[in-house]
């Protein structure tokens, strides 16, 4: 495999839609971004600590503080991650908190597919196009399981060329020469 890196324009596309891309030479990693910013996490931790301290006076404050401290941790654990490992020839998908890991050899991936739908937005007299273009890129494994990789949604701009390029790049990672 000569070039396994994702082109820069596709890196910007996936970053704009909530994913972090890491190129580790023989491993390509995509992770969904954290749902809270660093500042929101710090605020939750700060509030949780104060409530825990308030737990010295009332047990309800202790429980509330513990619950508030768990929110950033659970959100972090629930992030979706998928890895293309070229050295091992595997695709690994880590789902939500209780989803576990799914690891498939590249030979068990039957297709990289794209679902497309258009939803109508608010109608405006000043705009010719108020459509929401939604693309769902997913992997289909040999056991007919579908695993969503990306959900790309753009308003008034149809990213069909970028989505096709992303699908083509991932297909070439899994099945070089196809």
């Amino acid at each position: 495999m000569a070039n396994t890196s994702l082109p820069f324009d596709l890196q910007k596309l996936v970053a704009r839609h909530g994913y972090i891309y890491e190129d580790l030479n023989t491993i390509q990693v995509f992770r969904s971004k954290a749902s809270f910013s660093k500042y929101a996490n710090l605020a939750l931790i700060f509030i949780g600590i104060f409530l825990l301290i308030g737990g010295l006076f009332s047990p309800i404050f202790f429980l509330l503080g513990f619950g508030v401290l768990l929110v950033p941790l659970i959100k972090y654990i629930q992030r979706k991650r998928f890895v293309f490992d070229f050295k091992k020839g595997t695709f690994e998908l880590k789902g939500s908190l209780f989803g576990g890991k799914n690891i498939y050899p590249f030979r068990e991936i039957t297709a990289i597919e794209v679902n497309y739908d258009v939803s109508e937005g608010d109608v405006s007299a000043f705009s010719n196009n108020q459509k929401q273009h939604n693309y769902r890129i997913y992997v289909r494994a040999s056991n007919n399981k579908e695993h969503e990789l990306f959900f790309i949604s753009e308003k008034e701009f149809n990213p069909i060329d970028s989505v096709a390029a992303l699908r083509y790049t991932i297909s070439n990672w899994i099945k070089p020469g196809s």
Side-chain angles (χ1 to χ4, degrees):
M1 211 168 252
N3 185 10
T4 58
S5 184
L6 193 67
F8 184 68
D9 59 332
L10 297 180
Q11 289 179 27
K12 288 191 324 186
L13 176 74
V14 297
R16 199 170 56 238
H17 289 90
Y19 294 89
I20 299 169
Y21 168 72
E22 297 177 32
D23 182 5
L24 306 171
N25 291 333
T26 62
I27 298 173
Q28 306 299 317
V29 179
F30 293 90
R31 287 181 290 136
S32 60
K33 292 181 181 176
S35 57
F36 292 135
S37 70
K38 291 177 186 175
Y39 299 112
N41 282 333
L42 285 174
L44 286 172
I45 291 170
F46 190 66
I47 291 168
I49 289 172
F50 271 123
L51 288 172
L52 280 176
I53 292 170
L56 296 173
F57 305 110
S58 172
I60 191 77
F61 287 126
F62 179 79
L63 291 175
L64 284 173
F66 186 69
V68 168
L69 286 175
L70 282 179
V71 170
L73 178 65
I74 290 173
K75 289 292 187 183
Y76 179 80
I77 292 171
Q78 284 185 328
R79 294 188 321 165
K80 185 168 67 168
R81 177 179 69 105
F82 47 97
V83 177
F84 297 92
D85 189 341
F86 304 122
K87 191 179 278 186
K88 294 179 183 175
T90 60
F91 167 71
E92 175 185 322
L93 180 83
K94 180 190 155 285
S96 63
L97 184 62
F98 301 109
K101 280 187 186 178
N102 292 310
I103 300 175
Y104 299 102
F106 286 163
R107 68 181 176 279
E108 290 184 15
I109 304 290
T110 58
I112 306 294
E113 297 181 359
V114 177
N115 282 349
Y116 170 68
D117 68 76
V118 178
S119 58
E120 297 294 328
D122 296 333
V123 178
S124 170
F126 303 106
S127 177
N128 293 332
N129 189 4
Q130 288 288 327
K131 295 181 180 179
Q132 186 82 25
H133 300 277
N134 302 313
Y135 289 91
R136 181 178 159 250
I137 301 173
Y138 61 95
V139 169
R140 185 182 302 275
S142 60
N143 57 1
N144 277 337
K145 278 196 162 185
E146 293 179 358
H147 300 286
E148 183 177 301
L149 299 179
F150 302 103
F151 180 75
I152 296 173
S153 183
E154 293 283 347
K155 189 171 188 156
E156 294 195 23
F157 165 69
N158 191 349
I160 190 166
D161 295 333
S162 299
V163 171
L166 183 60
R167 182 195 167 280
Y168 179 76
T169 301
I170 293 173
S171 294
N172 282 340
W173 288 349
I174 292 174
K175 296 179 170 87
S178 63

